[in-house]
Amino acid sequence: MTTVPAPAEQRLRPFGAGPPVSAFSLGTMRALGSPAQMEAVLRAALAAGINHLETAPAYGPAEIFLGQALTALARDNLAPPGGWRITSKLLPGPDLATAQGQLGAILQRLGPGPLTNLAVHGLNTPEHLDWALRGPGAKLLTWARGEGLVGQVGFTSHGSPELIEAALASGTFSFCSLHLHLFDQTRLPLARAALAGGIGVLAISPADKGGRLYDPPPELLADCAPFHPLELAYRFLLDQGISTLSLGAEQPGDLAWAATIATEPAAWLSPAHQQALARLDAAGRQRLGAERCGQCRACLPCPNGVPIPELLRLRNLAVGHGMEAFAGERYNLIGRAGHWWEERQAEACQACGACLPRCPHELPIPALLADTHRRLAAAPRRRLWG
């Protein structure tokens, strides 16, 4: 098969026990309008030097469209050097026979050959972790590797840092997909520990879930000038050593930043980028003043189950960087997305005061939570998928 060289500076990065991957990965959850749309995005990904594709049965027709697009490119003798690396995912919970059938269907949709990577999709609760480590999931992962159907196994998680830490420490997984963002660095220590232990790390949705950075508000654009917020977010994460960043492209143009950054010199963060990041941080601190939550999590646990740090993080973004649209979107998914997101909004706070003596910055947490609800509560929005 003829290969198309990746851009000269698209440096492949280690990814757990599997083959190396490009710094950017194509997430396939958005190019779902038609098979032709998926094929156009896949061709753009190839031109941008991307060799890693990330999909799932939960993404509607994504696997069907991707399989057809891969076939079309193969007919044109097009592939990245070393071939495509493909990750798909299975939701936790089914019995072994059902899960085996689901994996077989994935392989059929994506085409011949083993799957490069298989992830448990949404390792979000202790029950999910038990399924993967001791239940039918453990048997599935062992069987899939033993039969040569998959290369390596990993997990994606929207769960707590404690749950993710337990999964990483289990020795079962050689890669993980986590929410790692410029504007949410809570899980960065976990990512660094995983990387140090040879576990590959994919950053989930740094553009969209990272703050809708493709459509930044005026304050954020000014804070990041002369750079685009999305560029700074990408460069920040790559500079942290994250293996690969998932880009959920809807159209070829969504991959422009990946193509541009991948062709530039080796340093992800130049002095000018570092200065812009410092100005961004300073601007947010100035607008928030003494009401800025430092995300230390010392306020937890809340007797009423209020996810205080996450709610005040959304307030930080709305007040500190003008990101009301994103913060409101995320806030109004709370309690409506099951185990994929938080369950209680700020109005669940009973102003009991248990958090107050724990906060090292002496924040008036109940008052800030009430302000968060006043600012962000609105009509609910539909999730992208699921």
Side-chain angles (χ1 to χ4, degrees):
M1 178 179 291
T2 303
T3 60
V4 174
E9 298 300 327
Q10 179 76 11
R11 300 173 298 282
L12 298 185
R13 299 157 77 86
F15 193 58
V21 298
S22 46
F24 293 90
S25 298
L26 175 64
T28 61
M29 71 290 293
R30 292 185 181 276
L32 304 180
S34 67
Q37 181 185 10
M38 181 69 77
E39 182 180 338
V41 168
L42 183 62
R43 289 179 182 274
L46 180 63
I50 289 174
N51 74 350
H52 182 220
L53 312 175
E54 185 251 332
T55 191
Y59 297 163
E63 288 188 334
I64 295 174
F65 290 176
L66 179 58
Q68 293 173 354
L70 289 168
T71 299
L73 266 67
R75 284 198 297 264
D76 293 339
N77 292 319
L78 296 175
W84 295 104
R85 285 79 157 118
I86 303 177
T87 296
S88 191
K89 306 182 280 290
L90 282 176
L91 294 166
D95 59 55
L96 177 60
T98 301
Q100 288 173 325
Q102 291 173 349
L103 177 57
I106 289 173
L107 295 170
Q108 185 175 24
R109 287 189 290 267
L110 293 176
L115 192 63
T116 317
N117 310 308
L118 176 67
V120 179
H121 193 182
L123 201 65
N124 299 338
T125 70
E127 293 75 18
H128 295 159
L129 185 60
D130 187 70
W131 177 87
L133 298 185
R134 290 169 286 275
K139 296 177 181 178
L140 169 73
L141 298 179
T142 299
W143 171 80
R145 284 179 294 186
E147 293 294 317
L149 301 177
V150 303
Q152 62 175 339
V153 299
F155 68 93
T156 77
S157 182
H158 300 237
S160 68
E162 295 77 16
L163 182 77
I164 295 169
E165 184 175 24
L168 292 173
S170 69
T172 297
F173 307 107
S174 54
F175 73 94
C176 62
S177 300
L178 307 176
H179 279 285
L180 305 164
H181 309 302
L182 172 60
F183 290 101
D184 184 4
Q185 301 180 22
T186 306
R187 293 170 178 80
L188 269 181
L190 293 170
R192 295 189 188 104
L195 292 165
I199 297 175
V201 178
L202 178 146
I204 298 172
S205 189
D208 186 48
K209 299 302 186 294
R212 291 181 63 184
L213 301 181
Y214 48 81
D215 184 25
E219 296 96 322
L220 188 57
L221 279 171
D223 292 346
C224 295
F227 304 104
H228 193 282
L230 190 52
E231 178 188 0
L232 283 182
Y234 288 160
R235 290 184 181 278
F236 170 80
L237 291 172
L238 291 170
D239 189 67
Q240 299 298 308
I242 305 306
S243 307
T244 185
L245 315 184
S246 182
L247 310 185
E250 186 174 4
Q251 54 191 354
D254 295 339
L255 296 165
W257 278 116
T260 299
I261 293 173
T263 61
E264 293 182 355
W268 299 114
L269 287 177
S270 69
H273 295 120
Q274 294 170 345
Q275 291 166 9
L277 286 170
R279 289 194 301 272
L280 170 66
D281 181 66
R285 289 175 182 269
Q286 181 178 18
R287 294 191 187 103
L288 286 159
E291 295 180 344
R292 178 181 177 274
C293 173
Q295 299 290 286
C296 67
R297 300 176 65 84
C299 54
L300 298 178
C302 169
N304 297 297
V306 178
I308 299 170
E310 186 56 43
L311 300 185
L312 294 188
R313 183 182 75 86
L314 296 178
R315 184 181 185 276
N316 281 355
L317 298 181
V319 177
H321 299 292
M323 298 168 68
E324 289 93 348
F326 169 73
E329 180 181 82
R330 298 301 295 166
Y331 186 79
N332 289 286
L333 282 176
I334 293 173
R336 301 180 175 96
H339 56 75
W340 296 95
W341 187 221
E342 304 292 355
E343 297 181 358
R344 291 179 174 85
Q345 291 186 339
E347 61 182 350
C349 173
Q350 300 298 308
C352 67
C355 56
L356 293 174
R358 301 177 190 153
C359 179
H361 303 291
E362 300 182 346
L363 293 178
I365 293 175
L368 294 179
L369 289 172
D371 181 69
T372 300
H373 190 73
R374 284 193 298 270
R375 289 175 181 272
L376 302 181
R381 295 172 179 262
R382 186 181 183 276
R383 294 178 66 224
L384 176 64
W385 56 267

